Amino acid sequence: MEITRRHVLSLLSAAGLAAVIPASGAAAASTAPGGARAGDAGIERLLGNARAVLAGTAESNSRPETAARLAAVAATARGHLAEMAAAGENELFHGLPLGTSDSNLNTSFRRLYEIALASRTPGLPPGAPPGDDATRRRVVDGLVTLHERYYGDQAQGYYGNWHHWEIGISTSVTATLVLLAEEIADQQPELTRRYIASMDAYLRNGKNGDVDLDSRFHTGANLADITTNRILQGALLADEGRIRKALEDQLTVYATIDPYRLAHGVTDGHYADGSFIQHGSVAYTGSYGKGLLSRVVQTLTYLDGTGYANTGALVPVVHRWVTDGFAPVIFEGWMMEIVKGRAVSRTGGGYADSAAVAEAVTDLSAYADGERAAALKSYVKHLHTASAAPPDPARFASPLTVVRHAAILADGSVPAVDLNPAARCTAFNAMDRTVHRRPGHAFALARSSERISKYEYMNGENLMPWFQGDGAHYLYLAGEDQRQTFGVDYFTTVSPYELAGVTAPDERRQTVPELYGKPYYDNPEHPLHFTASSESQNTYVYFPRGTGRHSGGAVLDAYGAAAMVQSDDVAYAERDRLPDDFTVYRNARATKSWFLLDEEIVVLAAGVEDRAGRAVTSTVDARIADPDDTVRVSGERDGGGAWSGDGTGRLRWLRYANETRRTAVGYLFLDSPGERLHPVTVGLKTVTRSRRAVRTANPDTAVTRRVFHAAFRQNAGATQRAYAYALVPGVGERELRGYGAGGGPLAVLANSTRLQAVRHAGLGLLAVNSFGRGRHTVAGLRLDGPASVLVRRHHTSREVTVAASDPTMRRDRLTLLLHGRSLRPVSSAPDVRVSHVPGGTLLRVTTRHAYGSTRTVTLR
């Protein structure tokens, strides 16, 4: 059975639940082979599946493809055993003192699991730790020690990070109990129950030792982790009621979030447009999203053949996550920065992020059928062949996945095919993100609003994030190793005030540790109760939302329009509520549009100013290169004459070329009605900075990059300005000259704080963003109030296609008037009504509860 995308499983309707979970779990079947109760058979199958996923089987581990994975398991355990032997007082492992550090306790439990894993993994290479009773006894004794001295006492536990106590430790302990169930039953028969009772008690953000679906901690990826652990714990206790309850709770993560009918008030999860949100307001596909994907696919594998769930009903849901949510934000194997939250500051990089997706999709393909399975396998091969750093199967969690992955790569009948078409524009309006793809490049845009956070900072990660949601963009060029152009080194060497696409005031901001001497603001006595994991910390420190309503856009075929009114964050807006020693920052102002075409990405900015009288920088682009790369910057002045090198001037076009990488980006500077071209400041400098500047846990590794930066600069106290320019990826100087002073096929029709519009003559496309109330008129189109509209006139068929959306997500209806001959609908969304009026064709577009999605009609 395929569950439709809009089916809300979180409501746990009788029909939805019955489609996935049988009436009474595995026990619904009569008798298992051998005369055992079916429930016993289901539990044994579940535990057997889990052990096979974690450790592999004799068959899988005899395959040569798993040798590197097995060697890694052996080496890890060997090192841990040596550290265990060298442990001092109050340590289980050398260098990890216990009693006050939740991180050390979490790591100690994980190391015990990794030793247990090696002891249970068939086919380890010579020299591996012995898989004997003595090794496993050391693990069991370690579990006893940790529980008796550092974990079992609830009065002493639960300090530091809640995640360690409710998820991290429980994940390691549960897996260890599964692997060593027989030894524990023989040596410490009550240990499993004691641990599970303790894990229940540490579920303090839950209810009565169980999940609480109303808790802000028990959502999305976190909920999947907790419930998967509880499924395995239920199997260890032979408690089918616990298994069923955990499954019912986990099913809520499969539900498509309906923002107008929130279940349990939860906004975390997957949305109809492919967006994924965690922490209530953070665009997070590339971090928590991939964690959720990995966990649910792992759980599907655990449940296979147990009778506890019809996992086949869930596969189509997860498949849609991959096609609509993950694929658009992965370019040639690189996970885009716009969906990674604080993880952008980590050293792992986008290729490692997409490797986790490849791992999950590999396993998902084994449970899919027909065309769906074929598409997933082709995507796995695409991620391998397109990436500059292909997934390393030695890092996969399961030897079973390693074998499946190798089989897909070796299968000549499986072509390497992206799940994205070559040209695709995706409006993730639910999380204020836009992705525009063409064969030679991908453009990723990060916006923010009163719904979506401007950035995420937490735990000393992403220390200088302030403008990452203020229209920051990332232009990925085909064939590049993206580690050389983006990732942690981009944020390390590019000024946080001069990220590509950002308009920022001229001021120095301080990081949270600089401001408060610790990774968070601590003031529990204040009425807002600031502690490390309080809601106030989230709201004002970790991931503050914007205060603007206008952020969204429309899509027509593979073309797009996006818009944002830049705003202050909620901390500045509510500064009167905050403590006197809490630091807030005021933002600059700008109204911005992005029009996403075939060759060009057109950017308009109007009303650019700073009401506090500071200087303002609006960055056109920022790119990095290796210090040894040959980089050439060229251009043409307004009125003629070549331009090259650093400096400031009125330019018609500019070109950045990395001749070593054979990549280039052109920049066209366009005329706006009533505005002359403003000077552009261009720089190319060598920057050296430590990666620790952006994340306290990063190694103190100095990174040197050549940084190209092009920007408009406004002096302090300057009046409002408007800018118009286009990014043209992969273009040569000759093509840039071809645009000429008139902009070639491009024309900026309006660029104000009320209306921004462009026309592309070659495409027959009019793209419009309107802001504010009242009537707006441009190029034969009249519209009322704020909207994003694309109108394409097809020269051969005489058809006109109109796409429209509400970028405020608050309007019930848009009204559009196309001046000219009367047109009749050829095809139309049900939310569009067409009527004839004197002088043209009137479109009434219902946008109530559309949440920014596009409504389209074709007319003739």
Side-chain angles (χ1 to χ4, degrees):
M1 172 183 176
E2 179 167 337
I3 300 176
T4 62
R5 177 156 198 140
R6 294 183 180 275
H7 187 71
V8 186
L9 280 171
S10 63
L11 299 179
L12 293 182
S13 66
L17 188 60
V20 181
I21 304 178
S24 57
S30 57
T31 306
R37 288 194 312 110
D40 294 339
I43 285 171
E44 287 306 311
R45 178 65 180 263
L46 198 160
L47 293 172
N49 287 346
R51 294 185 187 108
V53 168
L54 297 172
T57 64
E59 180 182 2
S60 69
N61 296 5
S62 67
R63 298 283 296 272
E65 297 93 338
T66 62
R69 170 62 188 159
L70 301 185
V73 169
T76 298
R78 188 163 51 245
H80 294 342
L81 284 167
E83 295 294 338
M84 203 173 187
E89 187 177 0
N90 292 323
E91 294 179 339
L92 188 62
F93 295 93
H94 177 67
L96 294 177
L98 300 171
T100 59
S101 171
D102 56 309
S103 179
N104 286 354
L105 184 61
N106 182 59
T107 301
S108 297
F109 276 116
R110 188 180 69 246
R111 289 185 178 184
L112 281 181
Y113 159 70
E114 288 168 342
I115 296 171
L117 177 64
S119 78
R120 278 297 185 204
T121 299
L124 290 186
D132 58 11
D133 291 341
T135 300
R136 290 189 279 271
R137 182 179 291 278
R138 292 186 69 181
V139 175
V140 175
D141 289 344
L143 287 175
V144 171
T145 298
L146 291 181
H147 194 274
E148 288 181 350
R149 299 183 184 178
Y150 307 106
Y151 183 73
D153 187 341
Q154 294 286 316
Q156 294 184 18
Y158 212 92
Y159 44 86
N161 190 336
W162 75 272
H163 191 277
H164 287 149
W165 298 94
E166 299 203 22
I167 295 177
I169 291 172
S170 296
T171 299
S172 298
V173 170
T174 301
T176 306
L177 297 177
V178 169
L179 289 170
L180 302 186
E182 295 179 4
E183 286 76 13
I184 292 171
D186 289 340
Q187 300 169 29
Q188 296 282 340
E190 293 301 314
L191 186 63
T192 293
R193 289 189 178 276
R194 285 203 302 272
Y195 257 107
I196 293 175
S198 294
M199 288 187 280
D200 287 350
Y202 278 123
L203 210 60
R204 296 188 184 177
N205 289 299
K207 183 183 294 182
N208 300 323
D210 199 351
V211 164
D212 180 5
L213 294 178
D214 292 317
S215 169
R216 63 186 173 92
F217 296 88
H218 293 184
T219 64
N222 291 333
L223 178 60
D225 284 336
I226 293 169
T227 51
T228 298
N229 290 338
R230 293 181 70 79
I231 289 169
L232 294 178
Q233 293 160 12
L236 289 166
L237 296 174
D239 184 346
E240 289 193 319
R242 186 185 183 103
I243 295 172
R244 182 180 177 88
K245 172 62 165 54
L247 281 170
E248 291 176 358
D249 290 336
Q250 187 168 117
L251 283 183
T252 65
V253 306
Y254 289 88
T256 299
I257 300 293
D258 180 349
Y260 304 104
R261 294 181 63 197
L262 293 175
H264 305 285
V266 171
T267 58
D268 289 356
H270 289 271
Y271 287 70
D273 66 2
S275 297
F276 176 82
I277 290 174
Q278 186 81 28
H279 289 161
S281 59
V282 179
Y284 236 153
T285 314
S287 185
Y288 273 85
K290 70 180 174 65
L292 172 63
L293 176 68
S294 297
R295 198 60 151 153
V296 298
V297 172
Q298 183 187 62
T299 306
L300 293 177
T301 308
Y302 289 168
L303 295 170
D304 183 42
T306 63
Y308 286 115
N310 174 16
T311 55
L314 300 174
V315 169
V317 179
V318 185
H319 174 255
R320 280 190 293 273
W321 294 354
V322 176
T323 56
D324 295 349
F326 287 93
V329 297
I330 297 175
F331 180 70
E332 294 188 343
W334 181 266
M335 180 70 74
M336 295 176 176
E337 274 69 18
I338 61 169
V339 289
K340 292 178 60 174
R342 68 185 189 271
V344 295
S345 63
R346 298 173 188 169
T347 58
Y351 293 125
D353 294 322
S354 67
V357 176
E359 182 178 0
V361 174
T362 295
D363 287 334
L364 182 64
S365 70
Y367 298 98
D369 297 320
E371 294 182 1
R372 182 175 286 113
L376 291 171
K377 290 178 181 179
S378 288
Y379 187 56
V380 168
K381 187 172 280 191
H382 164 77
L383 291 175
H384 182 83
T385 58
S387 175
D392 179 6
R395 296 180 178 272
F396 288 179
S398 174
L400 302 183
T401 313
V402 175
V403 172
R404 288 187 184 122
H405 187 263
I408 291 172
L409 297 186
D411 189 343
S413 68
V414 176
V417 181
D418 196 353
L419 287 171
N420 297 287
R424 184 179 192 180
C425 191
T426 307
F428 294 112
N429 285 328
M431 62 177 180
D432 281 353
R433 299 294 187 265
T434 304
V435 176
H436 185 67
R437 305 172 68 102
R438 288 299 184 268
H441 65 271
F443 176 82
L445 173 67
R447 299 176 273 108
S448 57
S449 66
E450 62 185 5
R451 300 169 292 101
I452 297 299
S453 300
K454 283 182 168 285
Y455 56 81
E456 189 199 35
Y457 158 83
M458 195 187 293
N459 298 335
E461 295 189 292
N462 203 20
L463 289 165
M464 299 182 288
W466 307 293
F467 305 103
Q468 290 170 5
D470 281 339
H473 77 247
Y474 307 85
L475 180 57
Y476 305 95
L477 304 179
E480 279 201 316
D481 184 339
Q482 304 300 338
R483 291 171 296 188
Q484 307 303 317
T485 52
F486 292 107
V488 64
D489 292 344
Y490 177 82
F491 296 100
T492 298
T493 55
V494 174
S495 166
Y497 315 100
E498 298 178 343
L499 301 176
V502 161
T503 293
D506 185 7
E507 68 178 356
R508 185 191 180 277
R509 300 188 177 190
Q510 292 182 287
T511 68
V512 170
E514 287 173 334
L515 287 169
Y516 308 121
K518 57 180 63 176
Y520 54 94
Y521 175 70
D522 192 22
N523 193 343
E525 303 305 318
H526 188 270
L528 290 175
H529 188 62
F530 283 93
T531 62
S533 59
S534 66
E535 290 193 60
S536 295
Q537 198 80 226
N538 294 346
T539 300
Y540 299 109
V541 180
Y542 290 158
F543 27 88
R545 304 182 193 205
T547 51
R549 180 183 303 174
H550 195 120
S551 180
V555 172
L556 173 56
D557 297 327
Y559 304 106
M564 182 187 74
V565 176
Q566 186 163 303
S567 65
D568 291 312
D569 68 13
V570 68
Y572 182 82
E574 300 181 6
R575 57 194 179 278
D576 292 341
R577 299 184 62 206
L578 298 171
D580 292 339
D581 64 342
F582 190 97
T583 300
V584 298
Y585 294 105
R586 188 178 189 181
N587 211 351
R589 290 290 182 270
T591 298
K592 292 190 175 185
S593 289
W594 297 263
F595 299 114
L596 312 169
L597 312 175
D598 277 328
E599 308 299 331
E600 308 93 356
I601 297 137
V602 182
V603 184
L604 305 186
V608 180
E609 65 172 343
D610 183 75
R611 295 175 183 174
R614 299 164 296 185
V616 177
T617 298
S618 294
T619 298
V620 173
D621 204 7
R623 304 192 69 80
I624 64 172
D626 281 354
D628 296 331
D629 286 355
T630 300
V631 175
R632 192 165 77 90
V633 180
S634 57
E636 181 179 309
R637 298 179 185 276
D638 184 26
W643 187 93
S644 63
D646 296 353
T648 301
R650 294 188 193 326
L651 304 180
R652 272 293 160 194
W653 59 264
L654 179 69
R655 183 173 184 264
Y656 165 90
N658 186 324
E659 296 180 348
T660 303
R661 308 285 174 186
R662 298 182 180 180
T663 57
V665 182
Y667 309 93
L668 296 172
F669 300 101
L670 306 171
D671 293 314
S672 293
E675 288 268 351
R676 63 174 302 189
L677 291 179
H678 292 288
V680 182
T681 299
V682 181
L684 182 63
K685 60 184 178 181
T686 299
V687 176
T688 299
R689 192 170 290 124
S690 170
R691 287 175 175 163
R692 194 168 287 173
V694 294
R695 181 173 178 257
T696 56
N698 279 349
D700 190 13
T701 302
V703 175
T704 299
R705 291 288 184 270
R706 298 188 74 189
V707 179
F708 163 77
H709 184 253
F712 299 104
R713 299 194 188 277
Q714 294 171 226
N715 294 329
T719 58
Q720 288 188 359
R721 287 187 182 174
Y723 306 117
Y725 58 93
L727 311 177
V728 190
V731 72
E733 292 183 1
R734 180 177 175 182
E735 291 84 357
L736 286 168
R737 292 191 191 97
Y739 282 91
L746 284 173
V748 178
L749 305 181
N751 188 12
S752 71
T753 56
R754 281 187 49 78
L755 186 67
Q756 295 178 329
V758 301
R759 174 189 282 132
H760 193 289
L763 297 174
L765 186 69
L766 171 67
V768 180
N769 285 319
S770 57
F771 306 84
R773 297 178 179 178
R775 181 172 295 181
H776 310 275
T777 303
V778 60
L781 173 68
R782 193 187 80 194
L783 59 161
D784 67 311
S788 288
V789 180
L790 297 160
V791 181
R792 191 173 190 194
R793 298 182 182 274
H794 305 270
H795 302 304
T796 55
S797 65
R798 299 190 70 201
E799 290 183 345
V800 179
T801 303
V802 181
S805 74
D806 166 25
T808 71
M809 301 194 185
R810 291 197 174 190
R811 303 191 65 191
D812 290 341
R813 183 181 296 106
L814 307 179
T815 302
L816 315 175
L817 176 63
L818 297 174
H819 289 285
R821 63 187 176 89
S822 295
L823 302 170
R824 299 183 181 278
V826 176
S827 62
S828 175
D831 303 289
V832 181
R833 292 179 58 193
V834 181
S835 59
H836 301 143
V837 297
T841 305
L842 187 67
L843 308 180
R844 293 184 176 89
V845 183
T846 300
T847 54
R848 177 176 170 77
H849 289 185
Y851 215 61
S853 62
T854 300
R855 301 294 187 253
T856 305
V857 59
T858 298
L859 309 160
R860 182 183 294 138

